[in-house]
Amino acid sequence: QVQLVESGGGVVQPGGSLRLSCAASGFSFSGYGMHWVRQAPGMGLEWLTFLTQDGSYKEDADSVKGRFTVSRDNSKNTLYLQMTGLTVEDTAVYYCMTQVAVGYWGQGTLVTVSS
Amino acid sequence: EIVLTQSPGTLSLSPGERATLSCRASQSVSGSQLAWHQQKPGQAPRLLIYGASNRATGIPDRFSGSGSGTDFALTISRLEPEDFAVYYCQQYDRAPYSFGQGTKVEI
């Protein structure tokens, strides 16, 4: 069955960095664009970034431009999110998702930015 | 940037009742590239509707989507106990691929 499994979350100090991974299985990962979405505690969903199937084109939300970088390794069926310059406002559950019309979501990984 | 405004913020209904949720876009969403996601407490979101009116795989037919341009709606014809959740619309016409703020459907 289709699975998206995020990992790499944890507690990090302000100004720190973290790399999230999203491992895909049960579908043709290399055939789909992928998104990262986050949800701060008690808040709604915030779209962050999108990467095309082959990794050649991406789009970023203003809130993460210059700080977060999305990438993928289709040979490993894995999507990544490199996060730098983290602030307390980046505390959230981070989800990966396939292109919207396909709509597979991972279960999320919690990132806590705290001193 | 397309801003999505959902209404109402909270909908208080009983099982068996009909629910109608609204999503209004600040600019026209071309190609009806509008989706609805459901999220239950402590769970990841789940895609319900894509292309404004197409049910995702495995979604019961009591869920239906409609609309085009700037006005969209999600209708749940007869609420089941498991339908009480938060619902988000999302446009995927152009980046940033924004979400609405959500509508909570509660008992």
Side-chain angles (χ1 to χ4, degrees), chain A residues 71-88:
Chain A
S71 62
R72 65 193 296 161
D73 185 340
N74 286 342
S75 69
K76 295 182 178 179
N77 290 340
T78 302
L79 179 74
Y80 302 100
L81 185 66
Q82 179 68 49
M83 304 186 294
T84 62
L86 287 162
T87 72
V88 294

Side-chain angles (χ1 to χ4, degrees), chain A residues 35 37 39 43-45 47 59 95 97 100-103 105-106, chain B residues 35 37 39 43-47 50 88 90 92 95-97 99:
Chain A
H35 300 264
V37 174
Q39 186 170 37
M43 302 296 285
L45 301 172
W47 174 81
E59 299 273 9
Y95 296 100
M97 181 181 71
V100 179
V102 175
W105 289 79
Chain B
H37 305 273
Q39 187 178 34
Q43 296 186 19
R46 173 175 74 145
L47 176 70
Y50 66 94
Y88 295 94
Q90 182 194 14
Y92 53 103
Y97 302 115
F99 290 90

